[in-house]
Amino acid sequence: MIQVSETAKTKVISLMTEEGFDANKDFVRVGVKSGGCSGLSYELNFDNQVGETDKLFEDNDVRIIVDKKSFLYLVGTILEYSGGLNGKGFVFNNPNAQRTCGCGESFSL
């Protein structure tokens, strides 16, 4: 399961609306890909299609889909949002990550 903080929920819904997606029926697609300074990096997009191997979650009124491979790396992750003058944007608090880079956009196991 992936959890969504209140601040991330607010930002996700705002961005989905700006990009023409409906937060009540469309999804946030969260994934992992090779790359980044620590070996793996996070992906975050909006989508309205669910693949047959995708896992679907809903937390804090945000619908999330994750492909089967990425799910193994993301179990227990909390999606947060940090704004303000020194804000980083979306932050993945991943309990499975052994090491993360300074920007928080990549990790290794």
Side-chain angles (χ1 to χ4, degrees):
M1 168 120 189
I2 296 174
Q3 297 177 317
V4 180
S5 73
E6 193 64 33
T7 54
K9 169 191 169 179
T10 302
K11 191 62 175 179
V12 161
I13 291 172
S14 171
L15 290 172
M16 287 183 90
T17 302
E18 283 178 29
E19 294 191 22
F21 288 90
D22 181 350
N24 294 314
K25 65 178 184 173
D26 296 324
F27 311 95
V28 175
R29 179 173 289 281
V30 181
V32 173
K33 66 179 182 177
S34 294
C37 48
S38 292
L40 297 168
S41 61
Y42 298 107
E43 291 184 300
L44 185 71
N45 299 299
F46 302 127
D47 203 340
N48 55 15
Q49 302 291 318
V50 179
E52 66 179 57
T53 61
D54 288 338
K55 297 201 175 279
L56 172 63
F57 304 98
E58 186 167 339
D59 186 62
N60 205 4
D61 298 325
V62 175
R63 295 164 46 110
I64 301 166
I65 50 176
V66 181
D67 66 85
K68 187 176 182 180
K69 184 184 113 188
S70 295
F71 176 73
L72 299 172
Y73 298 107
L74 296 170
V75 172
T77 295
I78 301 171
L79 178 62
E80 298 192 41
Y81 182 80
S82 177
L85 293 175
N86 294 322
K88 294 193 236 180
F90 287 102
V91 177
F92 293 85
N93 287 322
N94 186 343
N96 304 304
Q98 299 287 323
R99 186 182 65 177
T100 61
C101 66
C103 66
E105 293 180 14
S106 69
F107 68 101
S108 65
L109 299 176

